[in-house]
Amino acid sequence: MTIISPSLLACDFLNIERELSVLEKVPNLWLHLDIMDGHFVPNTTFGHPIISKISQKTKQPLDAHFMVTNPEFYIDTLKAISFETFTIHVETQTNSVELLTKIKNISKNAGISLRPSTELSALSDDILKTCDLVLVMSVEPGFGGQSFMPTSINRIKELVERRNDLGANFLIEVDGGVNQSNCHDIINAGADVLVAGSAVFKGNSTDYLNNIKSLRKSN
Ligand code: DX5
Ligand code: ZN
Protein backbone atom coordinates (compact mmCIF):
# COMPACT_ATOMS: atom_id res chain seq x y z
CA MET A 1 0.00 0.00 0.00
CA THR A 2 1.17 3.51 -0.79
CA ILE A 3 2.66 5.28 2.20
CA ILE A 4 1.23 8.74 2.86
CA SER A 5 3.52 11.25 4.53
CA PRO A 6 1.58 14.32 5.72
CA SER A 7 3.85 17.37 5.69
CA LEU A 8 3.62 19.02 9.10
CA LEU A 9 4.43 22.33 7.41
CA ALA A 10 0.70 22.64 6.72
CA CYS A 11 -0.54 21.57 10.16
CA ASP A 12 -1.72 23.76 13.01
CA PHE A 13 1.64 24.35 14.69
CA LEU A 14 0.14 25.94 17.79
CA ASN A 15 -1.72 22.70 18.39
CA ILE A 16 0.84 20.28 17.06
CA GLU A 17 0.35 17.80 19.88
CA ARG A 18 -3.32 17.47 18.96
CA GLU A 19 -2.44 17.21 15.24
CA LEU A 20 0.03 14.41 15.95
CA SER A 21 -2.46 12.53 18.12
CA VAL A 22 -5.02 12.46 15.27
CA LEU A 23 -2.43 10.78 13.01
CA GLU A 24 -1.00 8.47 15.65
CA LYS A 25 -2.88 5.27 14.83
CA VAL A 26 -2.97 5.54 11.03
CA PRO A 27 -1.18 2.60 9.37
CA ASN A 28 1.30 3.09 6.49
CA LEU A 29 1.84 6.69 7.48
CA TRP A 30 5.04 8.67 7.90
CA LEU A 31 5.33 12.21 9.24
CA HIS A 32 7.10 14.51 6.79
CA LEU A 33 9.32 17.14 8.41
CA ASP A 34 10.44 19.99 6.15
CA ILE A 35 13.64 21.44 7.55
CA MET A 36 14.57 24.67 5.73
CA ASP A 37 17.59 26.76 6.64
CA GLY A 38 16.79 30.07 4.90
CA HIS A 39 19.87 29.54 2.73
CA PHE A 40 19.42 26.46 0.56
CA VAL A 41 15.85 27.71 0.21
CA PRO A 42 14.65 31.24 1.05
CA ASN A 43 12.27 30.06 3.75
CA THR A 44 13.08 28.98 7.30
CA THR A 45 11.04 26.41 9.21
CA PHE A 46 12.34 24.58 12.26
CA GLY A 47 15.38 22.74 13.51
CA HIS A 48 16.74 20.61 16.31
CA PRO A 49 14.54 21.58 19.31
CA ILE A 50 11.28 21.15 17.41
CA ILE A 51 12.37 17.92 15.70
CA SER A 52 13.30 16.57 19.09
CA LYS A 53 9.96 17.57 20.66
CA ILE A 54 8.00 16.05 17.77
CA SER A 55 9.94 12.79 18.11
CA GLN A 56 8.92 12.61 21.77
CA LYS A 57 5.23 13.10 21.00
CA THR A 58 4.72 10.48 18.28
CA LYS A 59 5.58 6.89 17.54
CA GLN A 60 4.89 7.34 13.82
CA PRO A 61 7.99 7.11 11.56
CA LEU A 62 9.72 10.43 10.97
CA ASP A 63 10.36 11.30 7.33
CA ALA A 64 12.84 14.17 7.45
CA HIS A 65 13.53 16.30 4.36
CA PHE A 66 16.58 18.53 4.81
CA MET A 67 16.55 21.58 2.54
CA VAL A 68 19.80 22.85 3.97
CA THR A 69 23.18 23.90 2.63
CA ASN A 70 25.17 21.90 5.15
CA PRO A 71 23.50 18.49 5.60
CA GLU A 72 26.54 17.04 7.34
CA PHE A 73 26.00 19.29 10.35
CA TYR A 74 22.48 17.87 10.74
CA ILE A 75 23.70 14.27 10.34
CA ASP A 76 26.32 14.83 13.03
CA THR A 77 24.04 16.58 15.49
CA LEU A 78 20.77 14.65 15.20
CA LYS A 79 22.11 11.20 16.06
CA ALA A 80 19.85 10.93 19.10
CA ILE A 81 16.67 11.03 17.02
CA SER A 82 15.26 7.90 15.48
CA PHE A 83 14.45 8.63 11.82
CA GLU A 84 12.61 6.48 9.30
CA THR A 85 14.15 8.52 6.51
CA PHE A 86 16.79 11.22 6.46
CA THR A 87 16.79 12.89 3.05
CA ILE A 88 19.35 15.38 1.76
CA HIS A 89 19.58 17.28 -1.52
CA VAL A 90 21.95 16.33 -4.31
CA GLU A 91 22.49 20.04 -5.13
CA THR A 92 24.46 20.71 -1.96
CA GLN A 93 28.20 20.92 -2.49
CA THR A 94 28.85 17.61 -0.80
CA ASN A 95 29.80 14.05 -1.65
CA SER A 96 26.35 12.46 -1.69
CA VAL A 97 27.52 8.84 -1.61
CA GLU A 98 29.69 9.54 1.42
CA LEU A 99 26.90 11.34 3.24
CA LEU A 100 24.29 8.71 2.39
CA THR A 101 26.59 6.07 3.82
CA LYS A 102 26.95 8.14 6.96
CA ILE A 103 23.17 8.63 7.19
CA LYS A 104 22.66 4.86 7.19
CA ASN A 105 24.21 4.81 10.67
CA ILE A 106 21.57 7.10 12.12
CA SER A 107 18.44 6.48 10.05
CA LYS A 108 16.59 3.43 8.75
CA ASN A 109 16.58 4.93 5.23
CA ALA A 110 19.00 7.31 3.56
CA GLY A 111 17.25 9.52 1.01
CA ILE A 112 18.38 11.79 -1.79
CA SER A 113 16.23 14.55 -3.26
CA LEU A 114 16.47 16.85 -6.24
CA ARG A 115 14.86 20.10 -7.32
CA PRO A 116 12.54 20.02 -10.37
CA SER A 117 15.16 21.90 -12.40
CA THR A 118 17.97 19.45 -11.61
CA GLU A 119 18.58 16.84 -14.32
CA LEU A 120 17.96 13.28 -13.22
CA SER A 121 21.48 12.50 -14.42
CA ALA A 122 22.71 14.31 -11.29
CA LEU A 123 21.75 11.09 -9.52
CA SER A 124 24.70 8.89 -10.46
CA ASP A 125 24.44 5.10 -10.52
CA ASP A 126 26.51 5.06 -7.34
CA ILE A 127 24.06 7.35 -5.60
CA LEU A 128 21.08 5.26 -6.73
CA LYS A 129 22.76 2.06 -5.57
CA THR A 130 23.58 3.56 -2.18
CA CYS A 131 20.33 5.35 -1.29
CA ASP A 132 17.17 3.75 0.08
CA LEU A 133 14.85 6.46 -1.21
CA VAL A 134 14.68 9.12 -3.92
CA LEU A 135 12.51 12.13 -3.13
CA VAL A 136 11.28 13.68 -6.36
CA MET A 137 10.41 17.34 -5.79
CA SER A 138 7.33 18.16 -7.83
CA VAL A 139 7.44 21.85 -6.85
CA GLU A 140 10.34 24.22 -6.27
CA PRO A 141 11.34 23.50 -2.66
CA GLY A 142 10.76 26.22 -0.10
CA PHE A 143 7.01 26.59 0.31
CA GLY A 144 3.91 24.47 0.80
CA GLY A 145 0.71 24.99 -1.18
CA GLN A 146 2.20 25.14 -4.70
CA SER A 147 0.88 23.36 -7.81
CA PHE A 148 2.18 19.96 -8.86
CA MET A 149 4.50 20.10 -11.87
CA PRO A 150 3.21 17.51 -14.39
CA THR A 151 6.73 16.95 -15.77
CA SER A 152 7.39 15.05 -12.52
CA ILE A 153 5.40 12.09 -13.85
CA ASN A 154 8.04 11.28 -16.46
CA ARG A 155 10.79 11.70 -13.90
CA ILE A 156 9.12 9.07 -11.70
CA LYS A 157 8.84 6.69 -14.68
CA GLU A 158 12.49 7.23 -15.58
CA LEU A 159 13.54 6.47 -12.02
CA VAL A 160 11.53 3.24 -12.10
CA GLU A 161 13.43 2.27 -15.27
CA ARG A 162 16.82 3.12 -13.81
CA ARG A 163 15.98 1.19 -10.66
CA ASN A 164 15.22 -1.88 -12.79
CA ASP A 165 18.34 -1.44 -14.93
CA LEU A 166 20.57 -1.13 -11.88
CA GLY A 167 18.85 -3.83 -9.85
CA ALA A 168 18.54 -1.20 -7.11
CA ASN A 169 15.68 -1.07 -4.64
CA PHE A 170 15.18 2.50 -3.50
CA LEU A 171 11.69 3.79 -2.77
CA ILE A 172 10.34 6.67 -4.84
CA GLU A 173 8.72 9.48 -2.87
CA VAL A 174 6.98 12.47 -4.44
CA ASP A 175 6.74 15.85 -2.71
CA GLY A 176 4.84 19.00 -3.64
CA GLY A 177 1.30 19.72 -4.81
CA VAL A 178 0.11 16.15 -4.37
CA ASN A 179 -3.67 16.02 -4.02
CA GLN A 180 -6.72 13.83 -4.56
CA SER A 181 -6.89 14.70 -8.29
CA ASN A 182 -3.32 13.84 -9.26
CA CYS A 183 -2.47 11.04 -6.80
CA HIS A 184 -3.80 8.37 -9.17
CA ASP A 185 -1.35 9.35 -11.95
CA ILE A 186 1.52 9.69 -9.48
CA ILE A 187 0.94 6.24 -7.99
CA ASN A 188 0.50 4.69 -11.45
CA ALA A 189 3.79 6.21 -12.57
CA GLY A 190 5.50 4.28 -9.77
CA ALA A 191 5.56 6.37 -6.59
CA ASP A 192 5.78 4.41 -3.34
CA VAL A 193 5.39 7.34 -0.93
CA LEU A 194 3.29 10.49 -1.33
CA VAL A 195 4.01 13.62 0.68
CA ALA A 196 0.93 15.77 1.15
CA GLY A 197 0.69 18.93 3.22
CA SER A 198 -2.23 21.03 2.00
CA ALA A 199 -4.22 18.00 0.77
CA VAL A 200 -4.22 16.52 4.27
CA PHE A 201 -4.38 19.53 6.61
CA LYS A 202 -6.17 22.06 4.41
CA GLY A 203 -7.96 19.67 2.08
CA ASN A 204 -11.55 19.14 0.97
CA SER A 205 -12.50 17.93 4.40
CA THR A 206 -11.44 18.97 7.89
CA ASP A 207 -11.24 15.26 8.59
CA TYR A 208 -7.54 14.51 8.08
CA LEU A 209 -8.07 10.75 8.12
CA ASN A 210 -10.62 11.01 5.36
CA ASN A 211 -8.25 13.15 3.30
CA ILE A 212 -5.53 10.54 3.75
CA LYS A 213 -7.89 7.73 2.81
CA SER A 214 -8.90 9.47 -0.40
CA LEU A 215 -5.23 9.85 -1.39
CA ARG A 216 -4.92 6.08 -1.27
CA LYS A 217 -8.12 5.40 -3.22
CA SER A 218 -6.40 4.60 -6.48
CA ASN A 219 -4.65 1.57 -4.98
C1 DX5 B 1 8.23 22.09 -0.11
C2 DX5 B 1 8.14 20.94 0.87
C3 DX5 B 1 6.90 20.10 0.76
C4 DX5 B 1 5.62 20.84 0.98
C5 DX5 B 1 4.44 19.99 0.59
O1 DX5 B 1 9.49 22.64 -0.03
O2 DX5 B 1 9.24 20.08 0.68
O3 DX5 B 1 7.00 18.99 1.64
O4 DX5 B 1 5.46 21.22 2.31
O5 DX5 B 1 3.30 20.75 0.78
P1 DX5 B 1 2.07 20.69 -0.23
O6 DX5 B 1 1.55 19.29 -0.18
O7 DX5 B 1 1.12 21.67 0.35
O8 DX5 B 1 2.59 21.06 -1.58
ZN1 ZN C 1 9.29 18.11 1.80
Side-chain angles (χ1 to χ4, degrees), residues 7 9 32-36 63-67 89 113 135 137 141-142 173-176 195:
S7 167
L9 199 55
H32 190 77
L33 307 180
D34 284 306
I35 297 105
M36 307 185 189
D63 173 32
H65 176 196
F66 289 88
M67 286 158 276
H89 267 261
S113 183
L135 174 58
M137 286 306 302
E173 180 171 23
V174 179
D175 184 8
V195 177

Side-chain angles (χ1 to χ4, degrees), residues 13-209:
F13 262 102
L14 288 182
N15 292 293
I16 192 158
E17 204 168 345
R18 190 193 62 200
E19 302 285 70
L20 292 173
S21 72
V22 174
L23 303 175
E24 194 58 19
K25 295 278 179 270
V26 184
N28 297 305
L29 183 118
W30 291 353
L31 292 174
H32 190 77
L33 307 180
D34 284 306
I35 297 105
M36 307 185 189
D37 66 354
H39 191 260
F40 182 77
V41 289
N43 206 2
T44 310
T45 53
F46 50 81
H48 297 55
I50 305 281
I51 299 171
S52 168
K53 286 284 179 200
I54 291 172
S55 75
Q56 289 161 20
K57 291 292 174 188
T58 181
K59 291 198 169 56
Q60 290 286 28
L62 299 181
D63 173 32
H65 176 196
F66 289 88
M67 286 158 276
V68 300
T69 303
N70 182 8
E72 193 160 19
F73 167 73
Y74 292 80
I75 300 167
D76 290 340
T77 53
L78 284 168
K79 290 191 178 118
I81 311 284
S82 162
F83 290 102
E84 178 71 16
T85 72
F86 191 112
T87 296
I88 60 174
H89 267 261
V90 72
E91 297 88 359
T92 56
Q93 300 301 310
T94 55
N95 180 333
S96 298
V97 171
E98 211 171 88
L99 290 191
L100 288 166
T101 308
K102 209 169 169 182
I103 289 171
K104 282 167 183 277
N105 296 321
I106 65 155
S107 168
K108 191 165 161 201
N109 298 299
I112 191 82
S113 183
L114 74 177
R115 296 175 183 275
S117 55
T118 301
E119 295 288 336
L120 273 189
S121 56
L123 301 178
S124 66
D125 290 354
D126 275 350
I127 291 177
L128 292 183
K129 283 193 265 183
T130 308
C131 72
D132 305 298
L133 176 140
V134 175
L135 174 58
V136 177
M137 286 306 302
S138 41
V139 298
E140 189 55 38
F143 300 92
Q146 305 180 73
S147 299
F148 180 81
M149 297 169 76
T151 45
S152 315
I153 296 289
N154 273 340
R155 286 159 76 82
I156 300 165
K157 289 180 182 167
E158 258 184 67
L159 278 169
V160 171
E161 268 180 35
R162 282 190 69 194
R163 182 170 61 190
N164 290 339
D165 292 347
L166 290 169
N169 46 26
F170 53 83
L171 294 170
I172 300 174
E173 180 171 23
V174 179
D175 184 8
V178 175
N179 60 36
Q180 283 78 7
S181 323
N182 56 29
C183 61
H184 183 80
D185 290 343
I186 299 169
I187 293 170
N188 280 351
D192 305 293
V193 186
L194 302 184
V195 177
S198 310
V200 170
F201 295 106
K202 299 170 180 165
N204 298 337
S205 153
T206 51
D207 180 348
Y208 302 160
L209 303 191

